[in-house]
């Protein structure tokens, strides 16, 4: 089982963590990956578990676009997709421990 990443340990409030989510999403570039990362970050900071279906509905992206962006983020080791064999769109998505730091480092390079 994959443990969710904690955002901003000791963060001072929702406004600060929302700003952090928006800042992190910038590192994902433009397009679907950025939207998906922002949506996932916002849901996780609110303590809401996310599925492929949830991300598709929250971002307004077509289901195949949201799924492709999630797989891209998984390949980049930013998120983990915990597959659900009985419901592929019910697979749980979580920010990966250390994944956000990897994303920051790649963007800085």
């Amino acid at each position: 089982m994959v443990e969710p990443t904690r955002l901003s340990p000791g963060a001072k409030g929702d406004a600060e963590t929302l700003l952090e989510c928006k800042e992190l999403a910038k590192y994902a570039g433009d397009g679907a990956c950025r939207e998906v990362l922002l949506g996932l970050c916002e849901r996780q900071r609110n303590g809401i578990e996310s599925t492929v279906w949830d991300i598709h509905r929250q971002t307004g992206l077509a289901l195949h676009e949201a799924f492709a962006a999630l797989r891209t983020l998984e390949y980049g080791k930013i998120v983990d997709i915990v597959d659900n064999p009985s419901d592929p769109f019910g697979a749980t998505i979580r920010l990966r421990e250390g994944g956000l730091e990897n994303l920051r480092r790649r963007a800085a390079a």
Side-chain angles (χ1 to χ4, degrees):
M1 178 143 203
V2 178
E3 290 296 320
T5 300
R6 306 261 324 152
L7 297 174
S8 286
K12 298 201 190 303
D14 286 343
E16 186 176 322
T17 55
L18 180 58
L19 182 60
E20 181 181 2
C21 287
K22 289 182 179 183
E23 189 62 34
L24 288 173
K26 289 179 186 178
Y27 296 125
D30 292 331
C33 286
R34 182 181 195 162
E35 290 180 48
V36 166
L37 186 58
L38 179 59
L40 181 61
C41 182
E42 288 175 353
R43 288 178 65 85
Q44 194 159 322
R45 106 181 137 79
N46 289 324
I48 303 169
E49 190 172 82
S50 298
T51 65
V52 174
W53 185 255
D54 295 328
I55 297 299
H56 144 73
R57 291 181 47 102
Q58 181 182 15
T59 61
L61 294 169
L63 187 56
H64 71 278
E65 287 180 288
F67 189 71
L70 285 166
R71 286 295 185 194
T72 299
L73 291 168
E74 179 188 40
Y75 181 75
K77 300 185 191 268
I78 308 304
V79 302
D80 283 317
I81 300 175
V82 183
D83 291 324
N84 180 344
S86 65
D87 180 10
F89 301 115
T92 304
I93 314 301
R94 295 190 181 111
L95 293 172
R96 189 174 178 151
E97 188 69 44
L100 299 176
E101 191 56 43
N102 291 339
L103 187 60
R104 284 185 186 115
R105 273 186 290 203
R106 274 190 235 146

XYZ file of all heavy atoms in Angstrom:
836
model
N 0.838 -1.175 0.000
C 0.000 0.000 0.000
C 0.883 1.239 0.000
O 1.887 1.298 0.681
C -0.892 -0.033 1.222
C -1.768 1.153 1.347
S -3.336 0.618 2.007
C -4.343 1.904 1.456
N 0.485 2.225 -0.751
C 1.258 3.446 -0.894
C 0.719 4.498 0.064
O -0.476 4.750 0.112
C 1.171 3.977 -2.343
C 1.928 5.264 -2.486
C 1.668 2.930 -3.308
N 1.598 5.095 0.840
C 1.199 6.156 1.762
C 1.141 7.481 1.019
O 2.027 7.780 0.222
C 2.205 6.275 2.910
C 2.166 5.104 3.854
C 0.845 4.972 4.579
O 0.268 6.002 4.979
O 0.371 3.834 4.722
N 0.109 8.306 1.247
C 0.036 9.605 0.583
C 1.121 10.548 1.089
O 1.555 10.465 2.223
C -1.350 10.129 0.953
C -1.775 9.340 2.136
C -1.022 8.037 2.109
N 1.547 11.426 0.216
C 2.547 12.431 0.560
C 1.886 13.549 1.350
O 0.798 13.993 1.022
C 3.149 13.023 -0.730
O 3.748 11.974 -1.445
C 4.153 14.094 -0.434
N 2.551 14.019 2.369
C 2.063 15.165 3.139
C 2.580 16.423 2.468
O 3.750 16.520 2.142
C 2.566 15.107 4.577
C 2.260 13.836 5.276
C 1.091 13.808 6.168
N 0.865 15.021 6.881
C -0.355 15.370 7.268
N -1.378 14.621 6.990
N -0.535 16.476 7.941
N 1.708 17.371 2.260
C 2.092 18.634 1.648
C 2.459 19.627 2.736
O 1.739 19.761 3.717
C 0.946 19.188 0.805
C 0.528 18.326 -0.378
C -0.696 18.922 -1.030
C 1.650 18.182 -1.366
N 3.538 20.305 2.569
C 3.980 21.358 3.484
C 3.828 20.984 4.947
O 2.915 21.457 5.613
C 3.203 22.648 3.240
O 3.626 23.259 2.094
N 4.691 20.124 5.446
C 4.594 19.816 6.869
C 4.651 21.108 7.674
O 5.513 21.940 7.461
C 5.817 18.948 7.137
C 6.227 18.426 5.804
C 5.787 19.456 4.801
N 3.690 21.285 8.559
C 3.645 22.490 9.370
C 3.133 23.706 8.618
O 3.383 24.829 9.010
N 2.419 23.495 7.512
C 1.914 24.627 6.728
C 1.017 25.494 7.592
O 0.315 25.013 8.464
C 1.141 24.126 5.513
N 1.033 26.773 7.317
C 0.306 27.727 8.153
C -1.177 27.820 7.820
O -1.943 28.322 8.599
C 0.958 29.089 8.041
C 2.381 29.062 8.551
C 2.828 30.438 8.898
C 4.249 30.569 9.194
N 4.987 29.943 10.096
N -1.580 27.380 6.636
C -3.004 27.478 6.333
C -3.322 27.053 4.917
O -2.454 26.736 4.126
N -4.629 27.060 4.619
C -5.098 26.631 3.318
C -4.566 27.495 2.185
O -4.247 26.995 1.113
C -6.621 26.631 3.278
C -7.205 25.463 4.052
O -6.452 24.508 4.337
O -8.399 25.512 4.361
N -4.480 28.796 2.395
C -4.004 29.691 1.341
C -2.564 29.339 0.965
O -2.207 29.329 -0.210
C -4.088 31.143 1.784
N -1.753 29.023 1.957
C -0.354 28.674 1.697
C -0.241 27.353 0.946
O 0.532 27.238 0.004
C 0.410 28.588 3.017
C 1.900 28.379 2.829
C 2.635 28.399 4.156
O 2.289 29.192 5.034
O 3.577 27.592 4.272
N -1.029 26.352 1.344
C -0.946 25.073 0.655
C -1.536 25.154 -0.743
O -1.064 24.488 -1.652
C -1.607 23.938 1.455
O -2.939 24.294 1.765
C -0.827 23.617 2.707
N -2.569 25.981 -0.942
C -3.109 26.186 -2.280
C -2.060 26.836 -3.170
O -1.868 26.438 -4.313
C -4.380 27.038 -2.240
C -5.027 27.319 -3.587
C -5.393 26.019 -4.291
C -6.250 28.194 -3.410
N -1.349 27.812 -2.636
C -0.274 28.453 -3.382
C 0.809 27.425 -3.722
O 1.330 27.420 -4.831
C 0.318 29.611 -2.572
C 1.427 30.405 -3.240
C 0.931 31.042 -4.532
C 1.947 31.474 -2.305
N 1.121 26.542 -2.777
C 2.114 25.505 -3.031
C 1.649 24.584 -4.158
O 2.435 24.229 -5.028
C 2.359 24.690 -1.761
C 3.390 23.604 -1.949
C 3.632 22.778 -0.706
O 2.976 23.005 0.324
O 4.487 21.895 -0.772
N 0.375 24.206 -4.165
C -0.157 23.358 -5.233
C -0.023 24.038 -6.590
O 0.382 23.421 -7.570
C -1.631 23.032 -4.969
S -1.916 21.853 -3.643
N -0.357 25.316 -6.648
C -0.258 26.046 -7.914
C 1.192 26.157 -8.365
O 1.505 26.053 -9.544
C -0.887 27.427 -7.780
C -2.388 27.365 -7.683
C -2.999 28.738 -7.590
C -4.514 28.609 -7.518
N -5.178 29.893 -7.486
N 2.103 26.357 -7.412
C 3.527 26.454 -7.741
C 4.050 25.115 -8.256
O 4.781 25.068 -9.239
C 4.317 26.895 -6.500
C 5.759 27.239 -6.777
C 5.942 28.416 -7.734
O 5.128 29.346 -7.722
O 6.918 28.387 -8.502
N 3.648 24.037 -7.615
C 4.084 22.708 -8.049
C 3.559 22.380 -9.439
O 4.265 21.790 -10.252
C 3.605 21.648 -7.062
C 4.306 21.620 -5.723
C 3.617 20.642 -4.792
C 5.760 21.259 -5.891
N 2.323 22.749 -9.709
C 1.720 22.445 -11.002
C 2.471 23.133 -12.137
O 2.514 22.621 -13.250
C 0.249 22.843 -11.008
N 3.103 24.277 -11.860
C 3.880 24.972 -12.893
C 5.025 24.104 -13.401
O 5.402 24.180 -14.557
C 4.446 26.282 -12.355
C 3.422 27.347 -12.125
C 4.080 28.594 -11.573
C 3.058 29.624 -11.190
N 3.666 30.814 -10.601
N 5.581 23.276 -12.531
C 6.698 22.420 -12.919
C 6.290 21.320 -13.889
O 7.131 20.717 -14.526
C 7.352 21.781 -11.685
C 7.986 22.768 -10.756
C 7.625 22.808 -9.417
C 8.953 23.663 -11.198
C 8.217 23.704 -8.540
C 9.543 24.566 -10.334
C 9.168 24.581 -9.008
O 9.749 25.468 -8.159
N 5.001 21.033 -13.976
C 4.518 19.980 -14.864
C 4.327 20.472 -16.296
O 3.917 19.711 -17.155
C 3.211 19.412 -14.328
N 4.633 21.739 -16.542
C 4.481 22.282 -17.890
C 3.050 22.705 -18.148
O 2.239 22.817 -17.239
N 2.745 22.941 -19.399
C 1.396 23.353 -19.775
C 0.572 22.132 -20.156
O 1.103 21.084 -20.482
C 1.446 24.320 -20.963
C 2.066 25.652 -20.588
O 1.947 26.040 -19.416
O 2.668 26.295 -21.468
N -0.716 22.274 -20.122
C -1.592 21.226 -20.601
C -2.148 20.326 -19.529
O -2.272 20.707 -18.355
N -2.488 19.121 -19.952
C -3.220 18.185 -19.108
C -2.455 17.785 -17.851
O -3.047 17.695 -16.778
C -3.594 16.945 -19.916
N -1.159 17.553 -17.954
C -0.395 17.140 -16.771
C -0.453 18.205 -15.682
O -0.591 17.894 -14.503
C 1.059 16.835 -17.126
S 1.262 15.274 -17.997
N -0.381 19.447 -16.081
C -0.446 20.547 -15.113
C -1.811 20.585 -14.432
O -1.912 20.698 -13.220
C -0.167 21.859 -15.823
C -0.161 23.043 -14.909
C 0.095 24.303 -15.686
N 0.444 25.380 -14.786
C 1.036 26.475 -15.147
N 1.359 26.657 -16.406
N 1.312 27.404 -14.272
N -2.876 20.478 -15.214
C -4.225 20.502 -14.665
C -4.460 19.327 -13.726
O -5.045 19.487 -12.648
C -5.260 20.480 -15.788
C -5.319 21.768 -16.590
C -6.360 21.694 -17.679
O -7.501 21.269 -17.374
O -6.037 22.040 -18.823
N -4.006 18.158 -14.133
C -4.185 16.958 -13.323
C -3.396 17.069 -12.019
O -3.914 16.753 -10.941
C -3.783 15.697 -14.122
C -3.632 14.494 -13.221
C -4.817 15.428 -15.208
N -2.160 17.531 -12.094
C -1.342 17.663 -10.886
C -1.953 18.680 -9.925
O -2.012 18.442 -8.718
C 0.092 18.052 -11.246
C 1.083 18.072 -10.093
C 1.157 16.720 -9.395
C 2.466 18.474 -10.593
N -2.451 19.777 -10.442
C -3.093 20.784 -9.596
C -4.342 20.210 -8.930
O -4.544 20.352 -7.725
C -3.444 22.036 -10.402
C -4.137 23.156 -9.630
C -3.284 23.640 -8.471
C -4.469 24.303 -10.571
N -5.166 19.533 -9.703
C -6.383 18.935 -9.149
C -6.078 17.889 -8.096
O -6.706 17.857 -7.028
N -5.101 17.047 -8.365
C -4.717 16.014 -7.409
C -4.156 16.622 -6.134
O -4.501 16.209 -5.025
C -3.695 15.069 -8.049
C -3.215 13.915 -7.189
C -4.370 13.012 -6.790
C -2.157 13.116 -7.939
N -3.315 17.625 -6.282
C -2.711 18.293 -5.137
C -3.790 18.940 -4.262
O -3.778 18.792 -3.042
C -1.705 19.331 -5.623
S -0.841 20.207 -4.312
N -4.732 19.615 -4.888
C -5.804 20.275 -4.135
C -6.656 19.260 -3.385
O -6.993 19.455 -2.220
C -6.676 21.108 -5.069
C -5.993 22.349 -5.564
C -6.802 23.124 -6.589
O -7.869 22.618 -7.039
O -6.377 24.226 -6.944
N -6.993 18.162 -4.054
C -7.806 17.135 -3.399
C -7.042 16.506 -2.235
O -7.601 16.317 -1.162
C -8.209 16.056 -4.403
C -9.245 16.535 -5.406
C -9.567 15.440 -6.396
N -10.201 14.305 -5.769
C -11.511 14.192 -5.532
N -12.329 15.163 -5.870
N -12.007 13.120 -4.961
N -5.762 16.214 -2.443
C -4.986 15.570 -1.398
C -4.782 16.494 -0.206
O -4.822 16.064 0.931
C -3.648 15.074 -1.945
C -2.966 14.123 -0.990
C -1.947 13.247 -1.676
O -2.148 12.809 -2.796
N -0.852 13.010 -1.011
N -4.580 17.790 -0.453
C -4.396 18.719 0.667
C -5.668 18.847 1.482
O -5.628 19.149 2.665
C -3.902 20.067 0.157
C -4.895 21.152 0.164
C -4.408 22.465 -0.350
N -5.407 23.042 -1.194
C -6.476 23.677 -0.730
N -6.659 23.841 0.540
N -7.362 24.153 -1.559
N -6.822 18.585 0.854
C -8.100 18.601 1.573
C -8.438 17.244 2.183
O -9.513 17.075 2.749
C -9.234 19.030 0.637
C -9.151 20.500 0.293
O -8.777 21.315 1.134
N -9.480 20.843 -0.934
N -7.520 16.279 2.030
C -7.738 14.955 2.614
C -8.724 14.100 1.841
O -9.286 13.153 2.386
N -8.929 14.411 0.563
C -9.877 13.671 -0.265
C -9.108 12.684 -1.131
O -8.194 13.070 -1.864
C -10.692 14.622 -1.164
C -11.425 15.649 -0.313
C -11.656 13.840 -2.048
C -12.046 16.775 -1.119
N -9.494 11.411 -1.059
C -8.875 10.397 -1.909
C -9.315 10.615 -3.353
O -10.455 11.008 -3.607
C -9.306 9.006 -1.434
C -8.537 7.908 -2.091
C -8.839 6.561 -1.469
O -9.868 5.961 -1.843
O -8.053 6.130 -0.610
N -8.418 10.373 -4.293
C -8.715 10.629 -5.699
C -8.642 9.351 -6.526
O -7.782 8.511 -6.308
C -7.712 11.627 -6.281
O -7.793 12.853 -5.620
N -9.541 9.269 -7.489
C -9.525 8.182 -8.469
C -9.364 8.802 -9.855
O -9.477 10.025 -10.015
C -10.835 7.367 -8.427
O -11.913 8.211 -8.841
C -11.095 6.782 -7.055
N -9.132 7.950 -10.841
C -9.038 8.434 -12.226
C -10.332 9.175 -12.586
O -10.288 10.256 -13.173
C -8.788 7.262 -13.195
C -8.829 7.725 -14.638
C -7.461 6.578 -12.884
N -11.449 8.621 -12.210
C -12.747 9.233 -12.517
C -12.885 10.600 -11.851
O -13.367 11.557 -12.460
C -13.877 8.306 -12.077
C -15.227 8.809 -12.455
C -16.150 9.378 -11.635
C -15.801 8.817 -13.761
N -17.276 9.735 -12.343
C -17.083 9.399 -13.662
C -15.370 8.398 -15.009
C -17.919 9.564 -14.746
C -16.204 8.562 -16.092
C -17.456 9.139 -15.961
N -12.449 10.713 -10.594
C -12.533 11.993 -9.880
C -11.721 13.070 -10.581
O -12.169 14.208 -10.731
C -12.006 11.856 -8.445
C -12.847 10.944 -7.583
O -14.078 10.871 -7.792
O -12.262 10.299 -6.685
N -10.513 12.721 -10.994
C -9.634 13.691 -11.654
C -10.240 14.146 -12.982
O -10.238 15.327 -13.315
C -8.217 13.103 -11.855
C -7.570 12.798 -10.500
C -7.345 14.024 -12.684
C -7.379 14.005 -9.597
N -10.797 13.208 -13.723
C -11.461 13.531 -14.994
C -12.595 14.532 -14.769
O -12.708 15.537 -15.465
C -11.964 12.235 -15.632
C -13.258 12.327 -16.362
N -13.379 12.957 -17.582
C -14.491 11.858 -16.064
C -14.633 12.863 -17.991
N -15.318 12.204 -17.084
N -13.405 14.299 -13.752
C -14.541 15.190 -13.484
C -14.092 16.537 -12.929
O -14.646 17.568 -13.284
C -15.517 14.512 -12.538
C -16.209 13.338 -13.208
C -17.193 12.649 -12.311
N -18.063 13.575 -11.623
C -19.323 13.844 -11.966
N -19.854 13.254 -12.996
N -20.036 14.694 -11.259
N -13.076 16.538 -12.077
C -12.621 17.793 -11.469
C -11.961 18.707 -12.497
O -12.165 19.918 -12.470
C -11.643 17.516 -10.334
C -11.174 18.799 -9.677
C -10.169 18.565 -8.574
O -9.605 17.494 -8.444
N -9.924 19.575 -7.778
N -11.161 18.143 -13.381
C -10.419 18.967 -14.338
C -11.233 19.340 -15.568
O -10.900 20.302 -16.250
C -9.150 18.244 -14.821
O -9.522 17.026 -15.480
C -8.193 17.967 -13.676
N -12.262 18.557 -15.866
C -13.044 18.803 -17.072
C -12.382 18.243 -18.320
O -12.868 18.434 -19.430
N -11.273 17.533 -18.144
C -10.603 16.896 -19.275
C -11.390 15.664 -19.706
O -12.073 15.045 -18.890
C -9.186 16.448 -18.883
C -8.176 17.532 -18.561
C -6.931 16.923 -17.936
C -7.808 18.290 -19.830
N -11.263 15.311 -20.981
C -11.841 14.051 -21.436
C -11.188 12.922 -20.645
O -10.025 13.030 -20.228
C -11.587 13.874 -22.935
N -11.917 11.856 -20.421
C -11.422 10.759 -19.594
C -10.094 10.221 -20.110
O -9.163 9.995 -19.338
C -12.468 9.646 -19.512
C -12.182 8.503 -18.568
C -11.948 8.997 -17.143
C -13.335 7.505 -18.589
N -9.972 10.057 -21.422
C -8.721 9.515 -21.970
C -7.559 10.499 -21.786
O -6.422 10.078 -21.587
C -8.886 9.114 -23.442
C -9.031 10.259 -24.383
N -10.227 10.906 -24.607
C -8.115 10.875 -25.157
C -10.041 11.877 -25.476
N -8.775 11.886 -25.833
N -7.838 11.812 -21.810
C -6.783 12.803 -21.584
C -6.318 12.793 -20.132
O -5.122 12.864 -19.852
C -7.267 14.204 -21.934
C -7.405 14.471 -23.410
C -7.894 15.883 -23.647
O -9.080 16.152 -23.367
O -7.079 16.704 -24.107
N -7.276 12.727 -19.213
C -6.930 12.685 -17.791
C -6.138 11.423 -17.486
O -5.128 11.469 -16.769
C -8.194 12.740 -16.935
N -6.556 10.301 -18.047
C -5.867 9.034 -17.815
C -4.455 9.074 -18.393
O -3.493 8.635 -17.746
C -6.678 7.882 -18.426
C -6.155 6.532 -18.059
C -6.300 6.052 -16.769
C -5.532 5.738 -18.998
C -5.822 4.802 -16.416
C -5.057 4.488 -18.661
C -5.207 4.012 -17.363
N -4.303 9.627 -19.596
C -2.971 9.729 -20.219
C -2.058 10.634 -19.390
O -0.871 10.325 -19.203
C -3.098 10.262 -21.649
N -2.586 11.735 -18.877
C -1.781 12.637 -18.044
C -1.363 11.932 -16.751
O -0.216 12.058 -16.312
C -2.565 13.911 -17.733
N -2.274 11.185 -16.148
C -1.935 10.444 -14.931
C -0.852 9.410 -15.201
O 0.076 9.252 -14.411
C -3.182 9.764 -14.350
C -4.151 10.698 -13.644
C -5.484 10.011 -13.413
C -3.544 11.188 -12.340
N -0.944 8.712 -16.323
C 0.087 7.715 -16.668
C 1.429 8.401 -16.923
O 2.482 7.873 -16.564
C -0.331 6.884 -17.878
C -1.404 5.875 -17.582
C -0.920 4.817 -16.636
N -1.948 3.801 -16.462
C -1.937 2.910 -15.513
N -0.966 2.889 -14.623
N -2.903 2.036 -15.419
N 1.403 9.579 -17.523
C 2.638 10.332 -17.741
C 3.260 10.731 -16.407
O 4.473 10.585 -16.206
C 2.359 11.594 -18.593
O 1.848 11.189 -19.864
C 3.627 12.419 -18.790
N 2.441 11.207 -15.479
C 2.935 11.576 -14.152
C 3.420 10.343 -13.388
O 4.389 10.412 -12.638
C 1.853 12.306 -13.363
C 1.500 13.701 -13.886
C 0.229 14.219 -13.220
C 2.655 14.662 -13.698
N 2.781 9.215 -13.616
C 3.235 7.966 -12.982
C 4.593 7.553 -13.552
O 5.494 7.184 -12.812
C 2.208 6.856 -13.206
C 2.634 5.527 -12.590
C 1.721 4.383 -12.956
O 1.275 4.294 -14.118
O 1.456 3.562 -12.062
N 4.730 7.634 -14.859
C 5.991 7.289 -15.506
C 7.123 8.192 -15.005
O 8.250 7.754 -14.826
C 5.842 7.401 -17.027
C 7.096 7.029 -17.775
C 7.471 5.710 -17.914
C 7.902 8.013 -18.349
C 8.633 5.366 -18.605
C 9.049 7.681 -19.025
C 9.408 6.357 -19.153
O 10.551 6.032 -19.832
N 6.801 9.458 -14.739
C 7.780 10.406 -14.222
C 7.998 10.282 -12.723
O 8.718 11.078 -12.128
N 7.354 9.302 -12.109
C 7.494 9.011 -10.676
C 7.031 10.177 -9.798
O 7.602 10.450 -8.753
C 8.911 8.580 -10.339
C 9.328 7.338 -11.085
C 10.676 6.845 -10.668
C 11.156 5.797 -11.599
N 10.934 4.486 -11.399
N 5.961 10.848 -10.248
C 5.365 11.950 -9.498
C 4.162 11.441 -8.714
O 3.908 11.881 -7.603
C 4.923 13.097 -10.443
C 6.057 13.516 -11.370
C 4.381 14.270 -9.644
C 7.329 13.923 -10.690
N 3.412 10.515 -9.307
C 2.236 9.943 -8.660
C 2.317 8.425 -8.695
O 3.057 7.844 -9.500
C 0.909 10.394 -9.326
C 0.775 11.905 -9.323
C 0.763 9.832 -10.718
N 1.547 7.802 -7.823
C 1.347 6.352 -7.847
C -0.103 6.100 -8.195
O -1.002 6.790 -7.690
C 1.646 5.721 -6.479
C 3.130 5.586 -6.221
O 3.860 5.179 -7.150
O 3.564 5.902 -5.109
N -0.325 5.127 -9.060
C -1.677 4.701 -9.403
C -1.844 3.305 -8.821
O -1.161 2.374 -9.232
C -1.912 4.700 -10.929
C -1.702 6.105 -11.498
C -3.312 4.171 -11.247
C -1.798 6.186 -13.011
N -2.722 3.196 -7.847
C -2.988 1.919 -7.209
C -4.172 1.307 -7.946
O -5.329 1.681 -7.717
C -3.300 2.094 -5.703
C -3.493 0.751 -5.037
C -2.191 2.879 -5.027
N -3.860 0.404 -8.878
C -4.876 -0.150 -9.767
C -5.967 -0.895 -9.016
O -5.732 -1.519 -7.983
C -4.231 -1.081 -10.799
C -3.381 -0.317 -11.800
O -3.771 0.810 -12.156
O -2.343 -0.844 -12.220
N -7.158 -0.805 -9.572
C -8.318 -1.530 -9.074
C -8.767 -2.444 -10.211
O -9.380 -1.974 -11.163
C -9.426 -0.535 -8.699
C -10.663 -1.210 -8.176
O -10.868 -2.407 -8.339
N -11.514 -0.426 -7.540
N -8.447 -3.745 -10.151
C -8.746 -4.646 -11.268
C -10.222 -4.704 -11.659
O -10.540 -4.928 -12.811
C -8.279 -6.014 -10.765
C -7.346 -5.728 -9.650
C -7.775 -4.420 -9.062
N -11.117 -4.476 -10.719
C -12.537 -4.550 -11.046
C -13.086 -3.237 -11.602
O -14.182 -3.214 -12.152
C -13.343 -4.959 -9.814
O -13.263 -3.958 -8.825
N -12.335 -2.152 -11.452
C -12.798 -0.846 -11.933
C -11.595 0.009 -12.296
O -11.042 0.703 -11.454
C -13.622 -0.154 -10.850
C -14.143 1.213 -11.274
O -14.028 1.570 -12.476
O -14.660 1.941 -10.407
N -11.155 -0.016 -13.567
C -9.946 0.721 -13.953
C -10.023 2.224 -13.672
O -9.019 2.842 -13.370
C -9.814 0.475 -15.451
C -10.804 -0.564 -15.808
C -11.750 -0.721 -14.670
N -11.218 2.803 -13.734
C -11.341 4.230 -13.488
C -11.513 4.539 -12.007
O -11.545 5.685 -11.600
C -12.469 4.828 -14.323
C -12.241 4.624 -15.788
C -13.097 3.833 -16.534
C -11.140 5.182 -16.415
C -12.855 3.622 -17.885
C -10.893 4.970 -17.755
C -11.761 4.188 -18.491
N -11.603 3.493 -11.199
C -11.670 3.637 -9.755
C -10.304 3.476 -9.104
O -10.196 3.440 -7.881
N -9.251 3.389 -9.918
C -7.893 3.277 -9.389
C -7.561 4.509 -8.562
O -7.859 5.632 -8.962
C -6.889 3.120 -10.531
N -6.964 4.295 -7.406
C -6.626 5.385 -6.499
C -5.328 6.055 -6.938
O -4.361 5.370 -7.272
C -6.478 4.857 -5.058
O -7.696 4.201 -4.702
C -6.210 5.979 -4.083
N -5.309 7.384 -6.910
C -4.143 8.168 -7.314
C -3.604 8.882 -6.090
O -4.368 9.508 -5.344
C -4.522 9.232 -8.369
C -5.402 8.642 -9.475
C -3.282 9.913 -8.906
C -4.789 7.515 -10.233
N -2.286 8.834 -5.910
C -1.651 9.528 -4.782
C -0.365 10.177 -5.234
O 0.375 9.609 -6.045
C -1.326 8.535 -3.669
C -2.556 7.925 -3.058
C -2.217 7.145 -1.820
N -3.432 6.569 -1.283
C -3.703 5.278 -1.291
N -2.849 4.424 -1.786
N -4.821 4.845 -0.773
N -0.084 11.346 -4.670
C 1.224 11.966 -4.891
C 2.264 11.061 -4.264
O 2.068 10.540 -3.167
C 1.276 13.356 -4.257
C 0.376 14.404 -4.897
C 0.382 15.670 -4.050
C 0.814 14.710 -6.301
N 3.346 10.869 -4.958
C 4.379 9.945 -4.512
C 5.351 10.627 -3.550
O 5.742 11.772 -3.766
C 5.125 9.454 -5.746
C 6.065 8.356 -5.502
C 6.619 7.882 -6.823
N 7.575 6.845 -6.541
C 7.857 5.861 -7.339
N 7.250 5.785 -8.504
N 8.734 4.964 -7.011
N 5.732 9.922 -2.507
C 6.725 10.432 -1.557
C 8.008 10.726 -2.330
O 8.536 9.864 -3.018
C 6.993 9.388 -0.465
C 7.851 9.895 0.653
C 7.147 10.932 1.510
O 5.976 10.738 1.849
O 7.793 11.945 1.818
N 8.486 11.939 -2.269
C 9.695 12.342 -2.991
C 9.446 12.737 -4.441
O 10.309 13.308 -5.083
N 8.268 12.442 -4.949
C 7.957 12.763 -6.339
C 7.905 14.247 -6.619
O 8.364 14.727 -7.647
N 7.363 14.999 -5.675
C 7.261 16.441 -5.862
C 8.648 17.083 -5.846
O 8.920 18.013 -6.602
C 6.355 17.054 -4.800
C 4.923 16.534 -4.823
C 4.126 17.123 -3.674
C 4.256 16.822 -6.141
N 9.523 16.567 -4.993
C 10.894 17.092 -4.956
C 11.623 16.763 -6.256
O 12.371 17.586 -6.783
C 11.651 16.523 -3.752
C 12.965 17.212 -3.492
C 12.823 18.715 -3.306
O 11.900 19.179 -2.619
O 13.668 19.455 -3.856
N 11.393 15.563 -6.796
C 11.971 15.187 -8.086
C 11.503 16.135 -9.186
O 12.273 16.538 -10.055
C 11.619 13.746 -8.463
C 12.295 12.726 -7.603
O 13.319 13.014 -6.971
N 11.729 11.534 -7.552
N 10.228 16.477 -9.147
C 9.670 17.386 -10.131
C 10.312 18.750 -10.036
O 10.683 19.356 -11.043
C 8.156 17.491 -9.926
C 7.350 18.280 -10.954
C 7.501 17.669 -12.329
C 5.893 18.326 -10.553
N 10.509 19.246 -8.825
C 11.178 20.541 -8.632
C 12.607 20.512 -9.179
O 13.041 21.446 -9.832
C 11.228 20.897 -7.150
C 9.953 21.382 -6.578
C 10.186 21.831 -5.116
N 8.949 22.172 -4.501
C 8.400 21.521 -3.490
N 8.998 20.473 -2.967
N 7.253 21.895 -2.987
N 13.322 19.438 -8.878
C 14.717 19.330 -9.346
C 14.795 19.282 -10.856
O 15.669 19.906 -11.461
C 15.393 18.093 -8.760
C 16.013 18.364 -7.412
C 16.747 17.168 -6.989
N 15.678 16.207 -6.716
C 15.765 15.163 -5.943
N 16.872 14.834 -5.418
N 14.735 14.387 -5.724
N 13.901 18.530 -11.493
C 13.913 18.447 -12.961
C 13.641 19.808 -13.583
O 14.221 20.160 -14.588
C 12.879 17.452 -13.438
C 13.395 16.069 -13.475
C 12.423 15.172 -14.169
N 12.137 14.104 -13.234
C 10.992 13.498 -13.116
N 9.980 13.826 -13.874
N 10.828 12.532 -12.247
N 12.728 20.559 -12.983
C 12.381 21.875 -13.522
C 13.526 22.865 -13.344
O 13.723 23.752 -14.165
C 11.122 22.406 -12.839
N 14.317 22.684 -12.285
C 15.438 23.593 -12.019
C 16.608 23.327 -12.959
O 17.412 24.209 -13.220
C 15.884 23.469 -10.577
N 16.694 22.120 -13.460
C 17.827 21.745 -14.320
C 17.739 22.330 -15.705
O 16.843 22.794 -16.202
C 17.920 20.238 -14.416
